[in-house]
């Protein structure tokens, strides 16, 4: 996700995040969007498509996880500490359905040494709580 431009090249954190997003082909392909961004907090959204449904006709949990992991990455970028996840845990609370708009809100919980922890809550457009995720990251050395 790291590109030659640094945070100093942007007037706001949201500008930086949108720039970084422009290089994230996986998120673009899935329709994940940046809704808002500030230092230490990022909100992203994704519309559930038919191809994301499993055999039970509900959202495959892997897509919830992908949305949460993507939100984690952008939260880390927002604080100038690009990271990769080394461990993540997700608790599925309710199923997502076709046509739902998922909203993930990620907040940096703590940073220590080369490690960080980011918490992500995922809801649908009606406020239904779908999942909670905690990602343990390792900061990537700046190039």
């Amino acid at each position: 996700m790291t590109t030659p431009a640094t945070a100093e090249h942007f007037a706001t954190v949201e500008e930086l995040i949108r720039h970084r997003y422009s290089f994230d082909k996986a998120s673009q392909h899935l329709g994940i969007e940046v809704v808002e961004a500030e230092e230490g907090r990022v909100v992203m959204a994704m519309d559930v498509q038919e191809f994301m449904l499993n055999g039970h006709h509900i959202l495959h949990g892997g897509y919830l996880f992908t949305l949460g992991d993507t939100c984690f990455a952008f939260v880390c970028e927002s604080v100038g500490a690009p990271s990769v996840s080394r461990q993540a845990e997700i608790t599925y609370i309710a199923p997502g359905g076709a046509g739902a708009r998922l909203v993930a809100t990620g907040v940096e919980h703590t940073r220590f040494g080369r490690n960080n922890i980011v918490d992500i809550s995922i809801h649908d457009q009606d406020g239904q709580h779908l999942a909670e995720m905690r990602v343990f990251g390792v900061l990537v050395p700046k190039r």
Side-chain angles (χ1 to χ4, degrees):
M1 189 173 299
T2 304
T3 62
T6 61
E8 297 82 42
H9 293 98
F10 302 95
T12 66
V13 169
E14 188 158 343
E15 265 184 39
L16 168 67
I17 295 306
R18 290 189 185 283
H19 171 75
R20 296 281 196 255
Y21 175 84
S22 73
F23 294 91
D24 188 341
K25 300 305 179 199
S27 296
Q28 293 170 24
H29 176 73
L30 291 174
I32 297 173
E33 306 167 6
V34 176
V35 176
E36 60 186 72
E38 60 188 76
E39 188 174 337
R41 182 179 177 276
V42 174
V43 179
M44 302 190 86
M46 178 178 76
D47 294 325
V48 177
Q49 306 296 318
E50 287 291 324
F51 72 86
M52 297 175 175
L53 303 180
N54 64 20
H56 300 289
H57 303 290
I58 60 174
L59 177 65
H60 188 289
Y63 289 104
L64 275 171
F65 188 93
T66 298
L67 175 61
D69 191 52
T70 300
C71 192
F72 156 78
F74 285 100
V75 168
C76 296
E77 289 283 347
S78 79
V79 296
S83 302
V84 294
S85 55
R86 65 174 167 79
Q87 178 182 342
E89 49 190 51
I90 189 166
T91 300
Y92 298 105
I93 298 167
R101 180 155 179 85
L102 308 181
V103 179
T105 303
V107 178
E108 184 179 59
H109 179 71
T110 190
R111 192 175 335 139
F112 54 100
R114 291 191 56 229
N115 304 282
N116 62 356
I117 300 172
V118 174
D119 293 324
I120 301 106
S121 292
I122 304 173
H123 295 78
D124 70 12
Q125 74 280 358
D126 298 324
Q128 173 73 36
H129 199 172
L130 302 181
E132 282 293 319
M133 190 168 176
R134 175 164 272 190
V135 183
F136 302 84
V138 175
L139 279 64
V140 177
K142 296 189 181 193
R143 298 182 214 192

